[in-house]
Amino acid sequence: GNSVTQMEGPVTLSEEAFLTINCTYTATGYPSLFWYVQYPGEGLQLLLKATKADDKGSNKGFEATYRKETTSFHLEKGSVQVSDSAVYFCALGHASGGSYIPTFGRGTSLIVHP
Amino acid sequence: SQTIHQWPATLVQPVGSPLSLECTVEGTSNPNLYWYRQAAGRGLQLLFYSVGIGQISSEVPQNLSASRPQDRQFILSSKKLLLSDSGFYLCAWSVRDMMRVTYEQYFGPGTRLTVT
């Protein structure tokens, strides 16, 4: 079946540091890939997505590239801010048996210190 | 634009009491609807999803149930709450379109349930 593996957190960084959160997946065929962000006490928000190999999703300074050869979709940001502190979820979407149920990773907590 | 509402925002209920959480979506028709639970410090657990009125699929057997009485209304219920039902409940929707396949989901603000 489909699965998503994210790096264990929490990831703790100083403001303006470079961020990488690793995400790898297992799926047959060509899934769509997503990153969601969850701020404390809130629901998840779609951050970015990519629907085919070599696509780069980007939003709010975050980027992720769909790498079919390494089955990865790592999230990066060049300079994090305190306001980026949140939990980040990697997810994949793939039709299976006629249903469209996404598969989520366990989430990676990011803590950014001033 | 589309909006998703959940209520109540927080709820404290004793063990053995009933539960009803409501989710409504505005600005779209025929959505797929989902209920998730998020235990403290844990990931998302899909509880139910629905592709249409009266069509509910359960992902995890438990003492919860779901209903979809209207196209854009999704209700999560329990007859008798357990301590283990505590958590953050999230409703989500996604586009259901026969002409294109989309998987991105849009989440509500959540309900924090504490069973005492």
Side-chain angles (χ1 to χ4, degrees), chain A residues 11 21 37-40 82-88 108-112:
Chain A
V11 173
I21 299 179
V37 59
Q38 184 180 30
Y39 298 103
V82 172
S83 57
D84 293 327
S85 298
V87 179
Y88 292 82
T108 301
S109 175
L110 170 66
I111 301 169
V112 181

Side-chain angles (χ1 to χ4, degrees), chain A residues 82-111:
Chain A
V82 172
S83 57
D84 293 327
S85 298
V87 179
Y88 292 82
F89 291 90
C90 185
L92 72 83
H94 192 279
S96 175
S99 70
Y100 302 96
I101 304 299
T103 300
F104 283 85
R106 292 179 61 84
T108 301
S109 175
L110 170 66
I111 301 169

Side-chain angles (χ1 to χ4, degrees), chain A residues 32 34 36 38 41-46 49 87 89 92-95 99-102 104-107, chain B residues 32 34 36 38 41-44 46 49 59 88 90 94 101-110 112:
Chain A
S32 296
F34 307 90
Y36 290 84
Q38 184 180 30
E42 299 183 7
L44 280 70
Q45 301 174 29
L46 180 64
K49 67 179 181 181
V87 179
F89 291 90
L92 72 83
H94 192 279
S99 70
Y100 302 96
I101 304 299
F104 283 85
R106 292 179 61 84
Chain B
N32 295 318
Y34 310 81
Y36 290 89
Q38 194 175 26
R42 304 291 297 275
L44 294 172
L46 178 63
Y49 71 94
E59 291 294 300
F88 192 48
L90 289 162
S94 67
V101 178
T102 65
Y103 303 98
E104 54 260 45
Q105 292 182 311
Y106 303 93
F107 286 80
R112 175 77 57 193

Side-chain angles (χ1 to χ4, degrees), chain B residues 16-71:
Chain B
S17 63
L19 173 74
S20 181
L21 303 181
E22 189 165 341
C23 170
T24 59
V25 181
E26 296 177 356
T28 188
S29 298
N30 246 2
N32 295 318
L33 295 172
Y34 310 81
W35 278 112
Y36 290 89
R37 178 169 59 200
Q38 194 175 26
R42 304 291 297 275
L44 294 172
Q45 179 186 30
L46 178 63
L47 302 175
F48 301 95
Y49 71 94
S50 171
V51 298
I53 295 174
Q55 300 179 64
I56 310 294
S57 296
S58 173
E59 291 294 300
V60 181
Q62 56 210 321
N63 69 322
L64 300 173
S65 62
S67 62
R68 184 170 178 174
Q70 300 180 40
D71 181 45

Side-chain angles (χ1 to χ4, degrees), chain A residues 15-28:
Chain A
E15 204 164 25
E16 299 184 0
F18 185 86
L19 168 71
T20 300
I21 299 179
N22 291 337
C23 171
T24 57
Y25 68 90
T26 302
T28 56

